[in-house]
């Protein structure tokens, strides 16, 4: 089904549109809040048994959850749903209000036009050398038998690649560790602010709030430094930062300083958190399925031989790419997405009122037994040519769908495939004491605290 299944002028004939059923298991007063807090992934995954669209009660509030892939696609493609709601509000202190991830309407369309060229398929090869250099720098830092803090290593390489590709310059060497530390503090603090919205209490100067505010101020300062350095250099390399600094608004005027600032943050931040999270899940997969890691090693040997893996090899590393895709199916970094309806809408025959918060979970949709055979099984071969077509439309969308779809899908796939090939060809892994594989469900989904011992192949 497509966008036609969303009708923004629902028929007013009483009884034609159904109210979505209420999800099972709600408690008086608290509703489904306790279930959502206790087991968010399981809760979201079970909702489809209650209906294609269901109502969830969170205290006094009703939230609409969309569970069927044809309707998540219709929702994401419809202009009647915008980016708003608690998830985005909690992100605003970081992302600002003028960046592409939070803007709506004409401003969002203009911003996408500005950033899109940097992510186009034909722009990606130019990033290849940086991606390869960073992938090799990563494995060369590791020593035989060393215990890796996978969270730190993954975020670090993700930040460095996004920043070095999209904002060329040598500033990263001094600033990478600062950006990583700031982002780690901010992401855990923001998730807490989202699930436990205590409002003004977060302004009380206790150590955790002070640390959050310090990291936020430092990240904003860093971005100002990066922009100032670029301007002072007088250089205009062909990159995203140049595109932002030269961007004009609807009237042909240069965009404001605040918008440039928010745009840099809105691109750097999701780019690092998501790629870092998928890389952690990939390292978990390589550890728990050594046979997959061996096959990747064999593919690298066959395609590349003894020379280093280069970006140009990525297209031929099809098995490696399928492992990346299957990892994103079972462990989608963006596990929940939200929208707000701007009008009363008909979504697959259900009435969604104006101003409703609507959520859906790529995690739940991508693990649904109705869409995937052996839905919980890790099987990269399900993505072999000719087989992926059996998957219902929109049932596999780790980068989203529609006008908010991640601009960086090609960039991220190239980056993750290259990283996986370089890592799996160099090392195999085993869990070290204290390795915690449980999912950490925050703004992104990732393993909670992997500690892996790197053993050379
Ligand atoms: C949006 C996933 C990497 C920048 C999104 C959305 C998803 C997503 C699902 C859509 C949100 C929605 O529909 O509401 C991912 C995944 C990634 C990844 C799984 C890696 C595996 C990146 C990277 C960058 C980036 C590397 C930048 C360097 C953005 C931006 C948006 C976005 C700017 C907002 C787009 C808009 O609202 O128009 N991403 N992303 N992402 N992503 Fe990514």
């Amino acid at each position: 089904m497509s966008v036609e299944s969303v009708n923004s002028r629902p028929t007013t004939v009483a009884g034609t549109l159904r109210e979505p059923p209420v999800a099972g298991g709600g408690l008086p007063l608290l509703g489904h809040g306790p279930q959502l807090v206790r087991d968010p992934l399981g809760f979201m995954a079970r909702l489809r048994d209650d209906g294609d669209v269901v109502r969830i009660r969170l205290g006094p509030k009703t939230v609409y959850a969309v569970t069927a892939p044809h309707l998540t696609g219709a929702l994401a493609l419809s202009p009647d749903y915008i980016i708003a709601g608690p998830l985005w509000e909690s992100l605003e202190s970081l992302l600002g209000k003028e960046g592409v991830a939070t803007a709506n309407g004409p401003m969002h369309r203009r911003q996408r036009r500005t950033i899109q060229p940097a992510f186009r398929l034909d722009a990606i090869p130019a990033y290849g050398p940086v991606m390869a250099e960073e992938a090799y720098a990563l494995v060369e830092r590791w020593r035989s038998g060393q215990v890796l803090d996978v969270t730190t290593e993954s975020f670090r390489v993700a930040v460095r690649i996004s920043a070095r590709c999209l904002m060329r310059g040598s500033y990263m060497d001094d600033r990478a560790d600062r950006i990583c530390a700031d982002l780690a503090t901010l992401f855990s603090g923001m998730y807490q602010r989202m699930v436990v919205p205590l409002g003004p209490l977060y302004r009380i100067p206790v150590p955790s709030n002070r640390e959050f505010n310090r990291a936020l101020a430092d990240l904003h300062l860093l971005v100002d430094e990066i922009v100032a350095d670029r301007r002072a250099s007088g250089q205009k390399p062909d990159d995203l930062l140049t595109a932002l600094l030269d961007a004009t608004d609807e009237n042909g005027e240069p965009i404001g300083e605040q918008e440039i600032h928010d745009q840099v943050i809105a691109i750097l931040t999701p780019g690092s958190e998501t790629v870092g999270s998928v890389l952690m899940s990939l390292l978990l997969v390589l550890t728990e399925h050594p046979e997959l890691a061996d096959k990747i090693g064999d593919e690298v040997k066959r395609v590349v031989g003894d020379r280093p893996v280069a970006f140009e090899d990525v297209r031929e590393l099809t098995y490696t790419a399928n492992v990346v895709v299957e990892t994103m199916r079972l462990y989608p970094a963006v596990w929940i997405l939200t929208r707000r309806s701007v009008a009363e809408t008909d979504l697959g025959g259900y009435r969604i009122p104006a101003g409703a918060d609507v959520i859906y979970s790529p995690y739940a949709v991508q693990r649904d037994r109705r869409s995937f055979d052996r839905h919980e099984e890790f099987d990269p071969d399900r993505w072999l040519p000719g087989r992926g077509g059996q998957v219902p439309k929109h049932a596999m969308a780790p980068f989203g769908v529609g006008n908010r779809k991640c601009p960086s899908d090609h960039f991220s796939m190239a980056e993750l495939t290259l990283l996986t090939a370089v890592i799996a060809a160099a090392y195999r892994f085993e869990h070290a004491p204290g390795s915690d594989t449980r999912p950490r469900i925050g703004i992104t989904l990732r393993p909670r605290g992997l500690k892996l011992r790197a053993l050379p192949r």
Side-chain angles (χ1 to χ4, degrees), residues 100 108 112 166 267 271 274 337 339 398-399 404 406-408 412:
V100 64
H108 173 253
R112 282 293 291 229
L166 301 170
I267 290 157
T274 48
L337 285 165
R339 293 286 189 272
F399 292 105
R404 314 302 304 220
C406 183
S408 171
S412 303

Side-chain angles (χ1 to χ4, degrees), residues 233-246:
S233 77
Q235 289 178 349
K236 288 191 166 195
D238 182 16
D239 69 0
L240 188 63
L241 189 52
T242 300
L244 291 174
L245 293 175
D246 287 350

Side-chain angles (χ1 to χ4, degrees), residues 69-88:
H70 65 286
L71 294 182
T72 57
L75 172 81
L77 288 163
S78 164
D80 290 327
Y81 297 93
I82 59 165
I83 290 285
L87 173 70
W88 300 103

